Amino acid sequence: MYSLLRRCCLLFAVLMPLAATAAPDPLPSWRDGAARRSILDFVARSSDPASPAFIPLMERVAVFEHDGTLWPERPVAAALRFAVDRVRARLVDHPEWYRREPYKTVIEADEAALARLGERELMQLLLATHGGISDEEFSQIVNQWLAGNRHPRFERPYTALVYQPMRELLALLEAHGWRSFIYASGGVEFLRSHVEAVYGVPKERVIGNQIKTDYQMRDGRPELLRAQRVHFSDERSGKAVTIQHYLGRRPRLIMGNDASDENMLSWTAAGEGSHLVLRLRHDDAEREYLAPPADSRARDGAGAAGWQNVSIKDDWKQLFSGEAPVALR
Amino acid sequence: MYSLLRRCCLLFAVLMPLAATAAPDPLPSWRDGAARRSILDFVARSSDPASPAFIPLMERVAVFEHDGTLWPERPVAAALRFAVDRVRARLVDHPEWYRREPYKTVIEADEAALARLGERELMQLLLATHGGISDEEFSQIVNQWLAGNRHPRFERPYTALVYQPMRELLALLEAHGWRSFIYASGGVEFLRSHVEAVYGVPKERVIGNQIKTDYQMRDGRPELLRAQRVHFSDERSGKAVTIQHYLGRRPRLIMGNDASDENMLSWTAAGEGSHLVLRLRHDDAEREYLAPPADSRARDGAGAAGWQNVSIKDDWKQLFSGEAPVALR
């Protein structure tokens, strides 16, 4: 097995030099600079069997945080906005939510407090609103919501806000035999419901916290229904544990953006062999958002030696796909 | 993303007919019969966009039980034999094991009782012997054990006992754009330690029960160490729940062999769209083993309408790769 993929990569490696003079720029939305150069250099060296930085095909595994790395997570991530809308829609049946956190915060619509909710609260919201239905039904609800809602600032569907430079990076890696996984902090099922349509990435490449399911018979047919329990939480032990659970190895390329990603970045950086650790800096107040102070502090922490920062302001010509840079609000 | 793979599959689809007259038999170790014909028919129809049984590339996901489906699990599966050897080796430090189950069974070396141990007991054995080390270290211990031990009847390394007809089926599926996953009932880490070398399948394609890991600093370097807890157990809710957890969808092709696989087979069979449900029958007492009575009963159960049995005795010309059929002991 896997031999077809390997053959295709070999074919690709053989044909690429022939087309070298006409090869289009693989990262057209990236400005020349340290970030772009370190990516191109790493991809070239890790594909070259003669290089000491060569990485065997099986080990070419990359992990990308989703919210804040592949699309914006300000003012609040789409998964959280979705959960909030669902809580509000179901208040009639749950008057007790008016007096209990995190529902109280959600109902009172304090945007700043919403943005501070942690993963545990988010999972609690998702649980409260979606127990007892199947993943297929949940997926339909999510897709209906995505079709009917727009980002409050960019006034486009959330699914149209994937960063174009990140699409190019994912395509570059795939062309070199890498398998890229997406870490969904806002719940695996939310992202799996649209990841294939939006990214062309199969569902099993989405990893992270999940809600447990139960095997039940419904109308004489076996179904998996969403339970009121979270499968596991990475809050204490961090994202590295979750990556190991799904992939069985340290990634060789990893990219995150905020303090909650430090643990998986440190773990990847401590691995043997060549690797690339990227951290996206939300430093473009005009075209996007500034990261909150906590993330700015984290990003200059002691463990960050050798990590490559990617600046939205300096490294990206264009933010979103197929459009000119977004104008000021 | 995924576009390279898709292009390669298209290329493959374009080139295949040109070579049709010279095309080698993709399943040379399979005898002509209902099993072989249903496989070839299903693979052809699911790849044909004009067929009502067509399956889009993203949905071509197959799951195979490992022990008893891809290699023998009699008299006991390799993962269990490994755990038993580890318990015996560590008895000096744990005299209390002489009086406590499942250790007592293990120490008394009753093969029949060993074969009856459930997944919970097996995971308990693996936990008892391998807490506090990293997955990399565990992997080394497993590979050393595999290099030094042979199957008691076939007198070959366990890794030389992969069924040749199953290798051919995996390769056939891969050539048609399928992603095959392996369900490791004997613990994910045991199989991940050698799955890439033995099957050419990347580690993340191995799913099943796992032992939890903890993120810790060791010599100033972040490490994931194996904890004394199981990540989750499929005993109550069954293997379908675990597949959904990893893959986010029902498989379109599934294959198992004993009663513990019924749940995932039923769930796959209840899915919409075309699918193939295969069940391996251990019915060849001369070349291999007979399944115990419990599995024979299960295999003719009420839910099995439309499932395709595969008979080792009737459907397979050859059992193991690169060798003539194994002689009687």
Side-chain angles (χ1 to χ4, degrees), chain B residues 151-203:
Chain B
H151 188 281
R153 169 168 168 189
F154 301 117
E155 296 179 349
R156 296 163 62 176
Y158 287 93
T159 53
L161 294 175
V162 175
Y163 297 131
Q164 174 62 17
M166 295 307 297
R167 280 196 190 280
E168 294 166 7
L169 177 52
L170 290 170
L172 174 68
L173 291 172
E174 196 202 353
H176 286 80
W178 287 75
R179 307 188 297 288
S180 293
F181 293 79
I182 305 181
Y183 197 105
S185 297
V188 159
E189 297 85 354
F190 182 83
L191 183 53
R192 280 186 179 168
S193 71
H194 54 286
V195 70
E196 299 187 348
V198 173
Y199 291 94
V201 166
K203 287 181 184 182

Side-chain angles (χ1 to χ4, degrees), chain A residues 42-116:
Chain A
F42 176 74
V43 170
R45 285 187 298 127
S46 59
S47 308
D48 175 7
S51 165
F54 177 70
I55 300 176
L57 207 46
M58 282 288 180
E59 295 172 38
R60 290 187 207 161
V61 163
V63 175
F64 295 86
E65 165 68 20
H66 188 248
D67 294 328
T69 301
L70 294 182
W71 74 9
E73 63 178 343
R74 304 282 159 203
V76 294
L80 179 53
R81 176 70 62 193
F82 165 78
V84 165
D85 285 357
R86 295 295 300 172
V87 166
R88 288 182 186 151
R90 297 191 59 186
L91 262 179
V92 206
D93 303 323
H94 295 278
E96 75 278 11
W97 287 350
Y98 283 105
R99 296 179 308 277
R100 198 184 297 163
E101 290 296 356
Y103 311 104
K104 203 161 158 281
T105 298
V106 163
I107 298 159
E108 290 167 357
D110 176 339
E111 295 289 313
L114 272 186
R116 280 195 302 271

Side-chain angles (χ1 to χ4, degrees), chain A residues 82-326:
Chain A
F82 165 78
V84 165
D85 285 357
R86 295 295 300 172
V87 166
R88 288 182 186 151
R90 297 191 59 186
L91 262 179
V92 206
D93 303 323
H94 295 278
E96 75 278 11
W97 287 350
Y98 283 105
R99 296 179 308 277
R100 198 184 297 163
E101 290 296 356
Y103 311 104
K104 203 161 158 281
T105 298
V106 163
I107 298 159
E108 290 167 357
D110 176 339
E111 295 289 313
L114 272 186
R116 280 195 302 271
L117 286 180
E119 284 178 32
R120 178 168 294 278
E121 287 85 5
L122 174 54
M123 294 306 280
Q124 195 176 334
L125 290 175
L126 286 171
L127 279 174
T129 50
H130 300 102
I133 63 174
S134 71
D135 275 343
E136 285 94 341
E137 289 161 330
F138 178 73
S139 178
Q140 281 173 12
I141 295 173
V142 170
N143 279 300
Q144 279 165 11
W145 183 88
L146 285 170
N149 283 273
R150 284 166 176 262
H151 188 281
R153 167 168 170 189
F154 301 117
E155 296 177 352
R156 297 164 63 177
Y158 287 94
T159 52
L161 294 175
V162 175
Y163 297 130
Q164 174 61 16
M166 294 308 297
R167 280 196 191 280
E168 294 166 7
L169 177 52
L170 289 169
L172 174 68
L173 291 172
E174 197 202 352
H176 286 79
W178 286 75
R179 308 188 297 288
S180 291
F181 292 79
I182 305 182
Y183 197 106
S185 297
V188 160
E189 297 85 355
F190 182 83
L191 183 53
R192 280 187 179 166
S193 71
H194 53 285
V195 71
E196 298 186 348
V198 173
Y199 291 94
V201 167
K203 288 181 183 182
E204 71 262 18
R205 297 272 185 89
V206 176
I207 64 177
N209 284 334
Q210 292 195 32
I211 285 166
K212 277 182 186 279
T213 56
D214 287 325
Y215 186 86
Q216 291 177 14
M217 296 300 283
R218 199 161 62 157
D219 305 329
R221 190 168 170 269
E223 281 272 18
L224 299 187
L225 299 187
R226 292 160 68 84
Q228 300 274 358
R229 294 160 287 135
V230 175
H231 203 290
F232 58 95
S233 169
D234 59 27
E235 270 191 312
R236 250 191 43 233
S237 52
K239 296 178 179 179
V241 167
T242 306
I243 295 173
Q244 177 71 24
H245 164 76
Y246 282 94
L247 309 189
R249 59 165 31 106
R250 285 182 216 239
R252 292 304 197 97
L253 188 156
I254 197 152
M255 185 164 178
N257 64 291
D258 67 16
S260 75
D261 303 325
E262 301 259 313
N263 150 291
M264 68 181 189
L265 269 59
S266 301
W267 179 60
T268 303
E272 286 172 17
S274 62
H275 50 257
L276 181 62
V277 176
L278 299 170
R279 197 167 35 172
L280 188 63
R281 298 175 68 146
H282 291 273
D283 54 3
D284 191 330
E286 293 192 10
R287 294 189 299 172
E288 211 224 10
Y289 294 96
L290 291 184
D295 290 331
S296 308
R297 273 197 305 278
R299 117 195 138 206
D300 300 316
W307 299 8
Q308 177 63 54
N309 282 323
V310 174
S311 157
I312 291 185
K313 191 173 172 192
D314 299 330
D315 290 316
W316 288 359
K317 286 183 201 164
Q318 180 184 335
L319 261 63
F320 306 118
S321 55
E323 302 232 352
V326 174

Side-chain angles (χ1 to χ4, degrees), chain B residues 51-62:
Chain B
S51 165
F54 177 70
I55 300 176
L57 207 46
M58 281 288 181
E59 296 173 37
R60 290 186 206 163
V61 163

